[in-house]
mmCIF file of all heavy atoms in Angstrom:
data_model
loop_
_atom_site.group_PDB
_atom_site.id
_atom_site.type_symbol
_atom_site.label_atom_id
_atom_site.label_comp_id
_atom_site.label_asym_id
_atom_site.label_seq_id
_atom_site.Cartn_x
_atom_site.Cartn_y
_atom_site.Cartn_z
ATOM 1 N N ILE A 7 -13.854 21.515 0.019
ATOM 2 C CA ILE A 7 -14.680 22.440 0.801
ATOM 3 C C ILE A 7 -14.294 22.263 2.267
ATOM 4 O O ILE A 7 -14.395 21.154 2.801
ATOM 5 C CB ILE A 7 -16.174 22.135 0.621
ATOM 6 C CG1 ILE A 7 -16.552 22.237 -0.863
ATOM 7 C CG2 ILE A 7 -17.027 23.054 1.482
ATOM 8 C CD1 ILE A 7 -18.000 21.836 -1.146
ATOM 9 N N GLY A 17 -25.443 20.122 9.117
ATOM 10 C CA GLY A 17 -24.781 21.037 8.177
ATOM 11 C C GLY A 17 -23.962 20.261 7.157
ATOM 12 O O GLY A 17 -23.996 20.541 5.950
ATOM 13 N N ILE A 18 -23.225 19.262 7.672
ATOM 14 C CA ILE A 18 -22.391 18.430 6.785
ATOM 15 C C ILE A 18 -23.286 17.750 5.749
ATOM 16 O O ILE A 18 -23.003 17.754 4.550
ATOM 17 C CB ILE A 18 -21.597 17.372 7.605
ATOM 18 C CG1 ILE A 18 -20.620 18.068 8.553
ATOM 19 C CG2 ILE A 18 -20.861 16.405 6.682
ATOM 20 C CD1 ILE A 18 -19.920 17.141 9.541
ATOM 21 N N GLU A 19 -24.393 17.192 6.244
ATOM 22 C CA GLU A 19 -25.314 16.477 5.339
ATOM 23 C C GLU A 19 -25.881 17.387 4.259
ATOM 24 O O GLU A 19 -26.044 16.982 3.105
ATOM 25 C CB GLU A 19 -26.454 15.840 6.141
ATOM 26 C CG GLU A 19 -26.020 14.528 6.773
ATOM 27 C CD GLU A 19 -26.917 14.082 7.911
ATOM 28 O OE1 GLU A 19 -28.087 14.516 7.966
ATOM 29 O OE2 GLU A 19 -26.428 13.311 8.769
ATOM 30 N N HIS A 20 -26.133 18.617 4.644
ATOM 31 C CA HIS A 20 -26.673 19.593 3.693
ATOM 32 C C HIS A 20 -25.690 19.806 2.534
ATOM 33 O O HIS A 20 -26.063 19.777 1.349
ATOM 34 C CB HIS A 20 -26.953 20.917 4.432
ATOM 35 C CG HIS A 20 -27.408 22.015 3.544
ATOM 36 N ND1 HIS A 20 -28.608 21.963 2.870
ATOM 37 C CD2 HIS A 20 -26.805 23.191 3.190
ATOM 38 C CE1 HIS A 20 -28.722 23.074 2.141
ATOM 39 N NE2 HIS A 20 -27.653 23.828 2.316
ATOM 40 N N VAL A 21 -24.404 19.968 2.888
ATOM 41 C CA VAL A 21 -23.386 20.186 1.855
ATOM 42 C C VAL A 21 -23.252 18.925 0.976
ATOM 43 O O VAL A 21 -23.196 19.011 -0.255
ATOM 44 C CB VAL A 21 -22.017 20.557 2.502
ATOM 45 C CG1 VAL A 21 -20.961 20.781 1.419
ATOM 46 C CG2 VAL A 21 -22.149 21.799 3.367
ATOM 47 N N VAL A 22 -23.262 17.773 1.636
ATOM 48 C CA VAL A 22 -23.130 16.503 0.914
ATOM 49 C C VAL A 22 -24.271 16.333 -0.102
ATOM 50 O O VAL A 22 -24.056 15.936 -1.258
ATOM 51 C CB VAL A 22 -23.101 15.323 1.926
ATOM 52 C CG1 VAL A 22 -23.385 13.992 1.257
ATOM 53 C CG2 VAL A 22 -21.747 15.281 2.638
ATOM 54 N N GLU A 23 -25.482 16.656 0.336
ATOM 55 C CA GLU A 23 -26.643 16.558 -0.568
ATOM 56 C C GLU A 23 -26.466 17.424 -1.803
ATOM 57 O O GLU A 23 -26.742 17.009 -2.929
ATOM 58 C CB GLU A 23 -27.928 16.982 0.183
ATOM 59 C CG GLU A 23 -28.543 15.869 1.010
ATOM 60 C CD GLU A 23 -28.588 14.532 0.284
ATOM 61 O OE1 GLU A 23 -29.121 14.501 -0.842
ATOM 62 O OE2 GLU A 23 -28.054 13.532 0.812
ATOM 63 N N LYS A 24 -25.978 18.630 -1.566
ATOM 64 C CA LYS A 24 -25.803 19.574 -2.688
ATOM 65 C C LYS A 24 -24.758 19.031 -3.671
ATOM 66 O O LYS A 24 -24.936 19.114 -4.896
ATOM 67 C CB LYS A 24 -25.366 20.946 -2.130
ATOM 68 C CG LYS A 24 -25.417 22.054 -3.141
ATOM 69 C CD LYS A 24 -26.869 22.436 -3.438
ATOM 70 C CE LYS A 24 -27.002 23.126 -4.785
ATOM 71 N NZ LYS A 24 -28.398 23.261 -5.193
ATOM 72 N N ILE A 25 -23.693 18.472 -3.109
ATOM 73 C CA ILE A 25 -22.629 17.911 -3.961
ATOM 74 C C ILE A 25 -23.201 16.805 -4.850
ATOM 75 O O ILE A 25 -22.968 16.772 -6.059
ATOM 76 C CB ILE A 25 -21.469 17.360 -3.080
ATOM 77 C CG1 ILE A 25 -20.760 18.509 -2.363
ATOM 78 C CG2 ILE A 25 -20.474 16.551 -3.918
ATOM 79 C CD1 ILE A 25 -19.785 18.067 -1.273
ATOM 80 N N LYS A 26 -24.011 15.935 -4.250
ATOM 81 C CA LYS A 26 -24.595 14.815 -5.004
ATOM 82 C C LYS A 26 -25.572 15.337 -6.061
ATOM 83 O O LYS A 26 -25.601 14.841 -7.181
ATOM 84 C CB LYS A 26 -25.310 13.859 -4.054
ATOM 85 C CG LYS A 26 -24.356 13.021 -3.206
ATOM 86 C CD LYS A 26 -25.157 12.020 -2.394
ATOM 87 C CE LYS A 26 -24.287 11.216 -1.463
ATOM 88 N NZ LYS A 26 -25.079 10.570 -0.410
ATOM 89 N N GLU A 27 -26.352 16.328 -5.649
ATOM 90 C CA GLU A 27 -27.351 16.915 -6.567
ATOM 91 C C GLU A 27 -26.679 17.448 -7.837
ATOM 92 O O GLU A 27 -27.220 17.344 -8.937
ATOM 93 C CB GLU A 27 -28.033 18.059 -5.806
ATOM 94 C CG GLU A 27 -29.356 18.517 -6.351
ATOM 95 C CD GLU A 27 -29.831 19.729 -5.543
ATOM 96 O OE1 GLU A 27 -30.007 19.581 -4.309
ATOM 97 O OE2 GLU A 27 -29.975 20.808 -6.143
ATOM 98 N N LEU A 28 -25.468 17.968 -7.673
ATOM 99 C CA LEU A 28 -24.754 18.519 -8.836
ATOM 100 C C LEU A 28 -24.014 17.436 -9.630
ATOM 101 O O LEU A 28 -23.334 17.720 -10.612
ATOM 102 C CB LEU A 28 -23.759 19.598 -8.368
ATOM 103 C CG LEU A 28 -24.393 20.864 -7.780
ATOM 104 C CD1 LEU A 28 -23.338 21.761 -7.150
ATOM 105 C CD2 LEU A 28 -25.159 21.642 -8.850
ATOM 106 N N GLY A 29 -24.127 16.186 -9.157
ATOM 107 C CA GLY A 29 -23.547 15.068 -9.913
ATOM 108 C C GLY A 29 -22.112 14.722 -9.542
ATOM 109 O O GLY A 29 -21.419 14.050 -10.302
ATOM 110 N N PHE A 30 -21.659 15.157 -8.360
ATOM 111 C CA PHE A 30 -20.288 14.839 -7.917
ATOM 112 C C PHE A 30 -20.305 13.841 -6.759
ATOM 113 O O PHE A 30 -21.350 13.605 -6.151
ATOM 114 C CB PHE A 30 -19.566 16.122 -7.486
ATOM 115 C CG PHE A 30 -19.418 17.106 -8.612
ATOM 116 C CD1 PHE A 30 -20.243 18.225 -8.691
ATOM 117 C CD2 PHE A 30 -18.486 16.897 -9.614
ATOM 118 C CE1 PHE A 30 -20.131 19.120 -9.746
ATOM 119 C CE2 PHE A 30 -18.363 17.786 -10.676
ATOM 120 C CZ PHE A 30 -19.190 18.896 -10.739
ATOM 121 N N ALA A 31 -19.112 13.317 -6.462
ATOM 122 C CA ALA A 31 -18.994 12.378 -5.335
ATOM 123 C C ALA A 31 -18.352 13.083 -4.148
ATOM 124 O O ALA A 31 -17.259 13.638 -4.286
ATOM 125 C CB ALA A 31 -18.152 11.176 -5.744
ATOM 126 N N PRO A 32 -19.016 13.082 -2.988
ATOM 127 C CA PRO A 32 -18.421 13.699 -1.795
ATOM 128 C C PRO A 32 -17.521 12.713 -1.048
ATOM 129 O O PRO A 32 -17.860 11.531 -0.936
ATOM 130 C CB PRO A 32 -19.643 14.048 -0.940
ATOM 131 C CG PRO A 32 -20.701 13.090 -1.369
ATOM 132 C CD PRO A 32 -20.374 12.589 -2.735
ATOM 133 N N VAL A 45 -14.708 17.187 -3.271
ATOM 134 C CA VAL A 45 -15.753 17.092 -4.292
ATOM 135 C C VAL A 45 -15.084 16.532 -5.545
ATOM 136 O O VAL A 45 -14.233 17.179 -6.157
ATOM 137 C CB VAL A 45 -16.369 18.473 -4.591
ATOM 138 C CG1 VAL A 45 -17.521 18.332 -5.581
ATOM 139 C CG2 VAL A 45 -16.833 19.123 -3.298
ATOM 140 N N TYR A 53 -18.627 25.228 -9.848
ATOM 141 C CA TYR A 53 -19.723 25.465 -8.890
ATOM 142 C C TYR A 53 -19.238 26.104 -7.588
ATOM 143 O O TYR A 53 -19.939 26.104 -6.590
ATOM 144 C CB TYR A 53 -20.449 24.144 -8.574
ATOM 145 C CG TYR A 53 -21.184 23.580 -9.768
ATOM 146 C CD1 TYR A 53 -20.716 22.459 -10.430
ATOM 147 C CD2 TYR A 53 -22.343 24.207 -10.227
ATOM 148 C CE1 TYR A 53 -21.386 21.952 -11.540
ATOM 149 C CE2 TYR A 53 -23.019 23.707 -11.338
ATOM 150 C CZ TYR A 53 -22.534 22.583 -11.984
ATOM 151 O OH TYR A 53 -23.194 22.101 -13.075
ATOM 152 N N VAL A 56 -21.541 28.354 -5.550
ATOM 153 C CA VAL A 56 -22.700 27.710 -4.898
ATOM 154 C C VAL A 56 -22.341 27.391 -3.446
ATOM 155 O O VAL A 56 -23.132 27.615 -2.520
ATOM 156 C CB VAL A 56 -23.089 26.415 -5.646
ATOM 157 C CG1 VAL A 56 -24.153 25.635 -4.886
ATOM 158 C CG2 VAL A 56 -23.522 26.718 -7.065
ATOM 159 N N PHE A 57 -21.120 26.882 -3.261
ATOM 160 C CA PHE A 57 -20.706 26.467 -1.914
ATOM 161 C C PHE A 57 -20.203 27.650 -1.083
ATOM 162 O O PHE A 57 -20.443 27.717 0.112
ATOM 163 C CB PHE A 57 -19.669 25.347 -2.013
ATOM 164 C CG PHE A 57 -20.243 24.107 -2.634
ATOM 165 C CD1 PHE A 57 -20.073 23.825 -3.992
ATOM 166 C CD2 PHE A 57 -21.023 23.246 -1.881
ATOM 167 C CE1 PHE A 57 -20.640 22.700 -4.573
ATOM 168 C CE2 PHE A 57 -21.608 22.110 -2.456
ATOM 169 C CZ PHE A 57 -21.410 21.842 -3.809
ATOM 170 N N MET A 60 -22.684 29.345 1.093
ATOM 171 C CA MET A 60 -23.243 28.693 2.298
ATOM 172 C C MET A 60 -22.524 29.221 3.538
ATOM 173 O O MET A 60 -21.292 29.236 3.568
ATOM 174 C CB MET A 60 -23.050 27.171 2.209
ATOM 175 C CG MET A 60 -23.819 26.536 1.076
ATOM 176 S SD MET A 60 -23.467 24.766 1.044
ATOM 177 C CE MET A 60 -24.548 24.245 -0.263
#
Side-chain angles (χ1 to χ4, degrees):
I7 301 175
I18 296 172
E19 279 162 22
H20 176 65
V21 180
V22 163
E23 277 316 307
K24 191 73 202 169
I25 293 169
K26 287 185 184 162
E27 199 185 300
L28 293 171
F30 298 103
V45 184
Y53 294 107
V56 172
F57 296 97
M60 295 178 176

